[in-house]
Amino acid sequence: MKAQLSMTACIPVIPSADIEKSLRFWVEGLGLTVDREMRHEGKLIGCMVHNEHLYFWLNQSDYSSNKPEDYEGIRLYWTPVDIHATQKHLKHLGYEVSDIEDRDYGQTEFFVTDDDGYKHCFGVASMV
């Protein structure tokens, strides 16, 4: 008989070279809350960032591993409540954000790269 498995959550682990710097994007940029801070010799080496719907673990990484030249790392697709306000807010914080574009596949999207070099896409269903 097969065991019945059920998952209650999946928390992506996001490597970061400088978590304190990364928090500007995750907290100020996306409005998430920080908790469960883990420190080693006073340095932040891990923490949870979340809201009532989303959870991510930021984890200290030294980026010393050899990566293939075409390595893209993680990519996250966000669904904001207000795409225009989100783009404006991230631009106000100094992030280089793309224009908001209606795609032929039915999504309205823009892109931003965070301080760790990860690409984030923000998208909503296009209004027809």
Side-chain angles (χ1 to χ4, degrees):
M1 185 172 149
K2 231 183 200 183
Q4 180 91 10
L5 297 178
S6 177
M7 303 297 130
T8 59
C10 176
I11 301 172
V13 176
I14 310 296
S16 174
D18 182 342
I19 294 175
E20 298 282 358
K21 183 178 178 182
S22 297
L23 288 176
R24 187 170 88 84
F25 178 79
W26 295 93
V27 175
E28 292 179 44
L30 300 179
L32 301 179
T33 300
V34 179
D35 70 12
R36 300 186 189 176
E37 293 183 3
M38 293 176 60
R39 295 186 178 272
H40 178 70
E41 297 178 358
K43 183 177 181 179
L44 184 61
I45 61 167
C47 66
M48 186 76 69
V49 289
H50 65 90
N51 66 19
E52 63 274 11
H53 305 288
L54 308 166
Y55 288 84
F56 298 90
W57 181 261
L58 301 183
N59 194 62
Q60 183 66 41
S61 173
D62 64 8
Y63 289 102
S64 63
S65 62
N66 292 328
K67 296 178 191 162
E69 189 174 307
D70 60 352
Y71 177 76
E72 293 185 14
I74 64 156
R75 285 199 244 169
L76 298 172
Y77 194 95
W78 300 90
T79 306
V81 172
D82 183 334
I83 193 167
H84 295 281
T86 301
Q87 184 216 34
K88 183 178 178 181
H89 178 69
L90 290 169
K91 188 180 280 189
H92 176 76
L93 289 174
Y95 290 99
E96 189 173 324
V97 299
S98 71
D99 291 335
I100 295 174
E101 295 186 22
D102 292 324
R103 306 291 184 190
D104 60 2
Y105 46 83
Q107 290 293 103
T108 300
E109 302 170 331
F110 77 89
F111 297 85
V112 63
T113 301
D114 69 20
D115 295 319
D116 285 304
Y118 297 122
K119 296 175 184 171
H120 300 260
C121 180
F122 293 80
V124 296
S126 297
M127 302 305 272
V128 182

